[in-house]
Amino acid sequence: MALLVQRPKGTQDVTPKESCKWHTVEQITRQTAEQYGFSEIRTPVFEDTGLFVRSVGDTTDVVQKEMYSVTAKGDASFTLKPEGTAGAVRAMLENGLMNEGFPQKVYYITPCFRHEKPQAGRLREFHQFGVEMFGTASPYADADVISLAKTVLDRAGLKNIELFINSIGCPACRAEYHKALKEYFESYKGDLCETCLSRLEKNPMRILDCKSPVCSKIAEGAPVILDYLCEDCKNHFESLKDILSSMGIAFTVNPKIVRGLDYYTRTVFEFVTTEIGAQGTVCGGGRYDGLVQQLGGQPTPALGFAAGLERLIITMEKQGCEFIAPEPCDIYLASMGDAAQKKCVELAVMLRDEGFKVEYDIVGRGLKAQMKYADKINAKFSMVLGDNEIESGSAKLKNMKTGEQTEISLGEGFADAFSDIAVADMFNLKSDTL
Ligand code: HAM
């Protein structure tokens, strides 16, 4: 079949067969975030373009090359969010949440959009689970957020995910570092790509995460920020390492991690797997102590991370992790004839009111085809209604797994009687022992 319209490149459909995987990661991430004291925040899918230019930074790949922006009627420019932090910070400020006492802790699950070259684990529409914490500069906060990310990965059943940490310092130590970087890259001026040449003056650190093979090769020999940290940043990083060790969280210091977004200060970290190809960063984050003020708020230390849900799911699939199976149908009500079908509708309403998953024929199939359908949907029980059953006011309830049949009254007590039998089956008991 030649489809007239296909989904855009770099996007994915989640079909009913796959949606249980999404329910699994959404459940794990939500539950874990809430256990750590985070509450959900939801922000618009598009924001004023200026928000991302100011926060993510105008020399980053995300802003320079990857944003989906439109100029709406009039002249306002809007951008589909390429990440969750900027919108969360804006919303915290706009809703006065920074005045409600610290720490403030929020989480989100959101679609994000980046115009990148699609490949395994890299999409143009992807989804992030992220957390943001505001109002604490303590390294215990960094460790708490890293521990949350690790707990999510552990609960997803993932193994062999390495945690890399680094400190990229504060504006004070960054100035010295920028000088050293500039000096280093100046000698490769002839080889750097156009974009990096323009970054050389404004923000030489961005050259470190350029995706061009030539620039990344040159970047390999560049000075590392850890050698330029000021005393306070050094102490913060040492404390974080101590706390992580005392929490039993294994990590490797990787002085090359600088992250691709401009707002970071001090701690940055990434959880990386080698099992899903080149796009192995399942989760990344860090501190951004200057961003709240940069967006118009009071100086407020802050930090967070985001995990790509697609990358989480691909890694879980690769490692054979378990996903929550969808609940099968509790009972299929088969019918022969009009009166029986009406009765099925009545019984289904009763059972659904009690919370059971119920289906009956809505396509006009014969009895044999109805039972085949009951098998296909893995119904736990079935019941056939015809004129005889309507007349006698009772029918045979069949356990589809064991074949056991129980006569059950179709009167008022029907839902309770079914409930007793279904619960007994769940616990493998005889219903008369309940
Ligand atoms: P990020 O490293 O740009 O950080 O993205 C976080 C995660 O989103 C990545 O580790 C990856 O799993 C996923 N991701 C990013 N781009 C793609 C893509 N094109 N396709 C599929 N997955 C992708 C941030 O976005 C920061 N806002 C994280 C943060 C929150 N930092 C502090 N708070």
Side-chain angles (χ1 to χ4, degrees), residues 201-349:
E201 283 308 316
K202 235 178 144 186
N203 192 355
M205 235 171 104
R206 283 284 69 90
I207 303 175
L208 298 174
D209 50 49
C210 178
K211 290 178 188 117
S212 126
V214 178
C215 299
S216 16
K217 188 85 199 142
I218 297 171
E220 277 174 20
V224 293
I225 177 81
L226 280 183
D227 296 334
Y228 294 82
L229 292 187
C230 66
E231 216 42 42
D232 281 354
C233 289
K234 229 184 253 170
N235 290 340
H236 184 94
F237 195 46
E238 287 310 312
S239 305
L240 171 62
K241 288 193 281 182
D242 276 354
I243 300 164
L244 287 177
S245 299
S246 69
M247 290 169 90
I249 298 178
F251 61 86
T252 304
V253 174
N254 180 351
K256 300 250 151 162
I257 292 182
V258 289
R259 313 273 303 131
L261 314 162
D262 268 356
Y263 47 64
Y264 290 110
T265 52
R266 292 194 166 170
T267 312
V268 287
F269 63 91
E270 290 182 351
F271 284 89
V272 181
T273 169
T274 51
E275 293 176 31
I276 58 168
Q279 303 304 316
T281 308
V282 175
C283 167
R287 250 186 196 284
Y288 48 92
D289 290 343
L291 182 59
V292 174
Q293 190 178 20
Q294 232 168 285
L295 292 179
Q298 296 296 319
T300 309
L303 68 160
F305 73 81
L309 296 188
E310 286 82 359
R311 288 191 196 171
L312 251 181
I313 290 173
I314 308 174
T315 318
M316 288 172 75
E317 287 170 339
K318 237 319 106 36
Q319 297 192 0
C321 299
E322 268 187 42
F323 293 100
I324 301 163
E327 277 294 311
C329 174
D330 289 304
I331 179 167
Y332 183 82
L333 301 169
S335 57
M336 290 181 296
D338 227 25
Q341 188 170 20
K342 287 209 171 82
K343 187 70 185 172
C344 283
V345 176
E346 188 190 308
L347 297 178
V349 170

